[in-house]
Amino acid sequence: MIAHTPSGHVPPPGHVPPDVAFTGGYVVPVSGDPVEGGTVLIRNGKIIAVGAGVPVPDDVQIVDATGLWVLPGFVEAHSHLGIDEEGEGWSGDDLNESTDPNGARLRALDAVNPADPGFADALSGGVTTAAVLPGSANPIGGQAVALKCHGRTVGDMVLREPVAVKSALGENPKRVHGDHGRLPSTRQGIAAVIRDALTRARDHRARRPQESDPGLEVLARVLDGELPWWQHAHRADDIGTALRLADEFGYRLVVHHGTEAHLLADLLAERQIPVVSGPLTTGRGKPELRNRTPRSPALLAAAGVTLALTTDHNSVPIQYLVHQATIAVKEGLDRRTALRSITTTPAALLGLDDRVGALRPGLDGDVVLWSGDPLDTMSRAVRVYIDGREVYRYGGQEASAPGCRTMKTSTGSWDSTVNP
């Protein structure tokens, strides 16, 4: 079988996570009720206590969070960080290996550049964990990876790899391959490519371990239920095709984008199919987006659909993930659900709710101090911590330890290395 990296993100040799306590702030654990004047205590990079009146040992660094909101780092469930680099043009575009409609053997991990400015932008918006997906040029795009948004090498950043297999229906694969006069050039061709590949993978399972095929093994893990199938689909008919294929092959389906998912909200809720909705702050740039509405998340949640929100970075810059939640609330989504849609829910969809997405004992010390309610567009991330270590500070002040190079954003600075 292909080597699989489980939930990891192990600090590099010699790195000692700091012990730190955030005191006096308005603590919003997400997984529990807010605490006025609360404390979040971190030891060895892990949260060990959250609440009021938490005793802080003498050897722990204290960060006074009085007047600030204390939240977990946000989780972006669908991005193209590091593989569709900003400001690089052709040389930084590794999003789509569009020469093969079946890219099951491809790994987004192999194309991620940790120096992409998008990672700095993520931190400035309080995003500390992100899934990085291949693009949507192919019916089967490849394997997604979940990363922390900070590190000198990709190996420093990996949380889980692979975290899912990306697939695409609709306009994108139809256009990309049809323009070159090859399969698939229609929606029926797209479905056929997926069905043929999964049928071969089903046959492959019966021949283990006599047969070795990296692509088929990845798809076999989808059929085994080990890896979820993340389905790019906008139109309701494409979402219907996604449901039909999932019924046929029995895999774990998550709909991504779901522009018209609200039209099938009852069916998605009945089948317990989650939707990663968005981005909400784009126009109707192609025909399959003509029915987009910022009310979709509220409609999906009202029907009982498990909901996460996305920027689809860099369709929308990743630092504006929180604003997707703000807009959804403005259009009727419950505030608690909105906050969970960028924290606990995407963490669970990534299989990482035992690591990130909330302030809870046992989870990673990924903490963001906000100037106010993050759903208020005037609030900003003031300081950002990953595994208890400060990696971003608003206002351009140095946030790095001695010997670590920092990179500037338009609002602050971030430490571009892992301190050895």
Side-chain angles (χ1 to χ4, degrees):
M1 293 179 64
I2 295 175
H4 172 62
T5 303
S7 177
H9 185 63
V10 178
H15 174 74
V16 179
D19 298 335
V20 60
F22 304 94
T23 63
Y26 183 65
V27 177
V28 183
V30 181
S31 58
D33 294 331
V35 180
E36 186 75 58
T39 295
V40 179
L41 178 60
I42 296 173
R43 279 235 188 241
N44 295 318
K46 295 285 187 179
I47 299 170
I48 65 168
V50 179
V54 173
V56 180
D58 293 338
D59 61 340
V60 172
Q61 173 193 356
I62 294 178
V63 175
D64 184 3
T66 302
L68 302 175
W69 287 48
V70 183
L71 282 94
F74 295 148
V75 181
E76 169 59 89
H78 182 123
S79 83
H80 306 294
L81 282 170
I83 64 172
D84 190 12
E85 300 174 52
E86 297 187 277
E88 290 291 331
W90 175 88
S91 67
D93 181 2
D94 293 298
L95 184 63
N96 285 298
E97 182 58 57
S98 57
T99 58
D100 189 339
N102 179 0
R105 66 192 183 281
L106 305 176
R107 306 192 306 167
L109 175 74
D110 294 326
V112 173
N113 180 5
D116 178 10
F119 288 110
D121 292 339
L123 297 178
S124 74
V127 181
T128 55
T129 298
V132 177
L133 286 66
S136 52
N138 302 321
I140 303 175
Q143 303 163 55
V145 59
L147 304 172
K148 290 289 182 79
C149 294
H150 176 265
R152 183 167 49 186
T153 70
V154 175
D156 295 334
M157 304 162 73
V158 172
L159 274 166
R160 185 180 297 278
E161 199 281 324
V163 70
V165 173
K166 166 74 176 292
S167 173
L169 297 170
E171 289 182 26
N172 289 11
K174 174 180 172 178
R175 171 180 50 80
V176 169
H177 295 279
D179 284 353
H180 289 86
R182 62 177 180 243
L183 184 73
S185 63
T186 63
R187 281 180 164 82
Q188 57 184 322
I190 295 169
V193 168
I194 295 171
R195 184 174 285 109
D196 289 349
L198 291 174
T199 299
R200 290 194 299 271
R202 190 162 53 191
D203 294 341
H204 167 80
R205 287 193 302 176
R207 294 193 293 270
R208 285 170 170 163
Q210 292 84 6
E211 179 181 89
S212 176
D213 185 303
L216 291 178
E217 185 57 39
V218 168
L219 296 179
R221 291 171 62 190
V222 171
L223 298 178
D224 288 341
E226 183 181 345
L227 292 173
W229 188 261
W230 285 359
Q231 187 69 73
H232 165 115
H234 288 282
R235 278 183 7 185
D237 60 331
D238 289 327
I239 297 171
T241 296
L243 294 174
R244 188 165 57 254
L245 288 168
D247 287 345
E248 183 176 345
F249 290 97
Y251 50 73
R252 291 189 290 140
L253 173 65
V254 180
V255 172
H256 281 241
H257 300 306
T259 299
E260 296 183 359
H262 56 280
L263 302 178
L264 303 177
D266 56 333
L267 299 180
L268 294 166
E270 179 184 339
R271 299 176 186 225
Q272 298 183 317
I273 306 297
V275 175
V276 178
S277 179
L280 303 181
T281 48
T282 58
R284 298 176 177 89
K286 55 184 179 179
E288 63 186 7
L289 301 181
R290 65 185 178 275
N291 290 324
R292 66 170 297 278
T293 170
R295 295 186 60 236
S296 185
L299 296 171
L300 289 167
V305 176
T306 298
L307 176 75
L309 295 174
T310 180
T311 61
D312 189 23
H313 175 90
N314 49 19
S315 292
V316 170
I318 193 170
Q319 64 265 39
Y320 301 139
L321 176 61
V322 68
H323 299 325
Q324 310 304 301
T326 300
I327 291 168
V329 170
K330 180 181 178 181
E331 297 293 335
L333 185 64
D334 172 76
R335 280 180 55 91
R336 283 181 174 267
T337 304
L339 194 55
R340 290 171 182 153
S341 73
I342 56 174
T343 53
T344 54
T345 301
L349 293 180
L350 271 59
L352 293 170
D353 48 340
D354 62 338
R355 296 289 304 275
V356 299
L359 299 179
R360 190 174 72 239
L363 271 62
D364 294 358
D366 297 352
V367 177
V368 181
L369 307 185
W370 287 85
S371 61
D373 181 354
L375 295 183
D376 181 341
T377 57
M378 297 301 291
S379 297
R380 60 177 177 263
V382 177
R383 300 171 75 172
V384 179
Y385 295 76
I386 290 181
D387 299 330
R389 176 168 175 246
E390 186 176 12
V391 293
Y392 171 86
R393 184 178 297 189
Y394 176 82
Q397 302 177 61
E398 296 297 325
S400 62
C404 289
R405 179 169 61 93
T406 61
M407 296 180 68
K408 302 295 182 179
T409 71
S410 61
T411 58
S413 64
W414 71 300
D415 170 15
S416 65
T417 69
V418 174
N419 188 34

